[in-house]
Amino acid sequence: MKRIGIIGVGEIGRALVMGLCDGAGEPPEVFLSPRGARTAAELSERYESVRVCAGNQEVVDRSDVVIIALRARDRHEALAGLRVDADKIVVNVMAGVGIDELRQALATDAPVVRAIPLPPVRERGSVTVTCPSHPVVDSLFEHLGGAQPVEDEAAFNVFSALTGTLTTHYSYLATLTSWAAGHGIPAGAADHYVRSVFQGVGRSLSDETRTLHQLAADHETPNGSNERIRTTWFTPANSAALGKALDDLLADLG
């Protein structure tokens, strides 16, 4: 895992480079595609082991592991004519693009592994789901916070659907802040308080001796404020609507 290439240098590409290069020990050589030129240039200036290549073929040729972090809609243009030898390892982080589809597009016999890295890999603090398990790829993501291999793409797509709820969580917090501001609380103070409260809640998730339902119960007093909001806002109908939205997303990912 000495030479890693990344095609598509957006938010996830940036996070991967930072996680790989900011960690302890000697960082790998990282070769970046010119896509996302500004970000690629910033990263190459920041890290001595990072290089920006003239094109995607150079990224592949220089790398042992090739991470494809494109937006799915850009893949046909970006990957057209790309030659990937069988001794490479391809890591596909494009949502909704299956292993067989990518292998056919690349016309390669190289191993193809799907992965769902999230932005916290920049601090090596996020578990990454992979499919199928591959020792080199799993080792890479263990370095970035942990690897969670799954057996098949059906299970992988369930985890992929779960990641579709992230911005909903942020929007929920922003709604709380806006509500408080609407009642006369300075926006900065409301924002600071909401962040503080939910950072504390986030830390409690590290206690895996308690289920999520137990954590909720431990934060709730019978007939108290938390129970009131949960039972009047997050109703069975609300929960069912969330499940339906996830089912629809899963159908599209499959």
Side-chain angles (χ1 to χ4, degrees), residues 32-191:
L32 303 180
S33 71
R35 298 183 73 91
R38 179 180 298 178
T39 300
E42 290 174 356
L43 292 169
S44 67
E45 291 176 5
R46 178 171 179 175
Y47 302 108
E48 291 185 3
S49 63
V50 175
R51 306 283 186 275
V52 181
C53 297
N56 292 338
Q57 188 63 57
E58 184 182 353
V59 174
V60 174
D61 293 343
R62 286 176 170 266
S63 305
D64 303 311
V65 177
V66 181
I67 300 174
I68 300 179
L70 300 162
R71 292 176 296 188
R73 66 176 180 268
D74 295 335
R75 68 189 184 279
H76 299 296
E77 175 192 353
L79 302 179
L82 205 61
R83 301 182 308 279
V84 181
D85 293 337
D87 62 345
K88 309 291 184 180
I89 301 169
V90 178
V91 180
N92 171 20
V93 305
M94 296 181 290
V97 180
I99 292 171
D100 290 343
E101 180 182 353
L102 181 58
R103 180 176 283 117
Q104 183 176 12
L106 295 173
T108 184
D109 292 325
V112 177
V113 179
R114 295 183 72 180
I116 314 174
L118 299 174
V121 296
R122 65 166 52 89
E123 293 95 17
R124 296 168 302 284
S126 176
V127 170
T128 298
V129 176
T130 62
C131 177
S133 180
H134 187 286
V136 172
V137 178
D138 292 347
S139 175
L140 185 156
F141 288 113
E142 284 292 347
H143 176 73
L144 295 173
Q148 184 168 333
V150 297
E151 294 182 0
D152 56 50
E153 289 189 273
F156 181 90
N157 287 336
V158 172
F159 284 99
S160 184
L162 289 176
T163 67
T165 64
L166 292 177
T167 59
T168 300
H169 178 67
Y170 286 121
S171 295
Y172 167 74
L173 301 183
T175 299
L176 299 180
T177 301
S178 297
W179 176 85
H183 286 268
I185 304 299
D191 183 275

